[in-house]
Amino acid sequence: MVQATAGAGTSRGLRLLVGTAATVVALAGVRAVAGIAGPAFLALVLIIAVSPLRAWLRHRGARTWVLVTVPLLTILLLLIVLVGSLVVSVAQLVALLPAYAGRYQQLIGSITRQLAHLGITQEQVSAMLGKLDLGSLIGLAQGFLGGLLGIGSAFVVIVLLIFGMSLDAPLTHDAIRALGSARPHLVEALGGFARGTCNYLIVSTVFGLIVAVLDAIALWIMGVPLPLLWGLLAFITNYIPNVGFVVGLVPPTLLALLDSGPGAALAVVVVYSVLNFVIQSLIQPKFVGESAGLSTTITMLSLFVWVYVLGALGAILAVPLSAFARALLIDADPETRWAIPLVSGHAPTRG
């Protein structure tokens, strides 16, 4: 019996090592084709997002072409509005920043004088600030927001994938249901992933809209330029778990600093901390984690992993990607379902 127990322990340890190695290899493979894998999963998430609309149409007895066309047009309309708004806003930002060249030089001079009072020489200040001209800030802003526009650059690929998935969605739905008797755990896992993803998107979208509207109104009242852009950025970064608040805070704070000085920048930080930190960092993670079936720790770790694998798009898709991995690797396999409480953060129910 001792030998059997030792053998079982060795077998579990070996499976763990092999599984870990396979995960690393799989993630490396996904990273190698991130330009395809990222848009493909984004298209899948969008198809899942409109699945309640498709189910409603099916329940109403709609024809197959309606089940394909209406959800497809809904997704395309949302993408066009989002990407178009982002492109116009970024163009306005790039056109606006050169007007702050004089203010930027004044700010640098003020910083230099303050550092001189602390005993830092002019040469040291020049070495620290030599590369920080307004042109580099413009390039930084373009690069930062250009990462978001990467979705727009892959727009054709995403549209083609969405079109194909929309055509296949009714057939795929029926095919998965037909597998219920042969692969019940797999069907249950995929169904749970789809429902959890829909819930996650609903929660994130609702909180994102609340935060975006409040941020835009507050910035408009304070006179910060381009409040609609920063509200849109707050909405997008709301899909980034835990640290989206910081990502959405930095650009409007810097612009407020250039436009109106340290007092306005501090006001932006305070307002964002009150509005965003409480909602995004304290309230929303609880609902997001529960809706996706992931604990707070797993949600945070997934952000690091998927940013490394897919870049900026991985930050936005971190939670759905991890929920999909949980569905395939844990929920669908009876031998690994014991790990569900570990990744969900909920104690197992006692029956």
Side-chain angles (χ1 to χ4, degrees), residues 51-71:
S51 59
L53 174 60
R54 188 180 301 106
W56 181 81
L57 292 173
R58 182 190 292 267
H59 181 72
R60 302 279 294 185
R63 296 175 179 267
T64 301
W65 69 269
V66 177
L67 297 177
V68 173
T69 305
V70 174

Side-chain angles (χ1 to χ4, degrees), residues 11-176:
S11 178
R12 285 194 295 269
L14 181 61
R15 287 199 300 268
L16 178 62
L17 290 176
V18 172
T20 302
T23 300
V24 173
V25 172
L27 290 176
V30 173
R31 190 185 185 201
V33 294
I36 299 175
F41 197 81
L42 176 61
L44 176 61
V45 169
L46 292 174
I47 291 295
I48 293 175
V50 297
S51 59
L53 174 60
R54 188 180 301 106
W56 181 81
L57 292 173
R58 182 190 292 267
H59 181 72
R60 302 279 294 185
R63 296 175 179 267
T64 301
W65 69 269
V66 177
L67 297 177
V68 173
T69 305
V70 174
L72 175 62
L73 292 178
T74 301
I75 295 175
L76 293 180
L77 179 61
L78 292 175
L79 282 178
I80 291 172
V81 171
L82 181 61
V83 174
S85 301
L86 195 57
V87 169
V88 172
S89 299
V90 171
Q92 292 176 343
L93 175 64
V94 173
L96 178 65
L97 283 180
Y100 292 101
R103 174 60 184 165
Y104 175 79
Q105 294 301 327
Q106 294 176 3
L107 182 63
I108 292 298
S110 176
I111 294 175
T112 302
R113 290 190 294 271
Q114 293 297 328
L115 292 177
H117 290 310
L118 298 177
I120 301 177
T121 65
Q122 180 68 36
E123 292 75 13
Q124 292 172 323
V125 173
S126 300
M128 288 186 295
L129 303 178
K131 297 182 179 180
L132 292 179
D133 55 20
L134 191 62
S136 65
L137 289 179
I138 294 175
L140 180 62
Q142 288 176 307
F144 175 79
L145 294 171
L148 296 178
L149 290 176
I151 299 176
S153 65
F155 188 76
V156 175
V157 176
I158 295 173
V159 169
L160 291 176
L161 289 171
I162 290 174
F163 179 73
M165 291 180 182
S166 296
L167 291 176
D168 293 336
L171 298 177
T172 303
H173 177 269
D174 295 336
I176 292 177

Side-chain angles (χ1 to χ4, degrees), residues 208-220 271-272 275-276 279:
L209 287 174
I210 294 173
V211 167
V213 171
L214 293 177
D215 285 346
I217 293 175
L219 294 175
W220 176 72
V271 169
Y272 264 65
L275 295 179
N276 297 40
I279 296 175

Side-chain angles (χ1 to χ4, degrees), residues 275-311:
L275 295 179
N276 297 40
F277 182 76
V278 172
I279 296 175
Q280 291 180 306
S281 299
L282 298 181
I283 301 176
Q284 182 180 338
K286 176 179 176 58
F287 292 95
V288 168
E290 291 180 352
S291 64
L294 301 173
S295 67
T296 303
T297 302
I298 294 297
T299 301
M300 193 64 189
L301 289 175
S302 69
L303 173 64
F304 299 141
V305 171
W306 293 116
V307 167
Y308 173 77
V309 174
L310 296 178

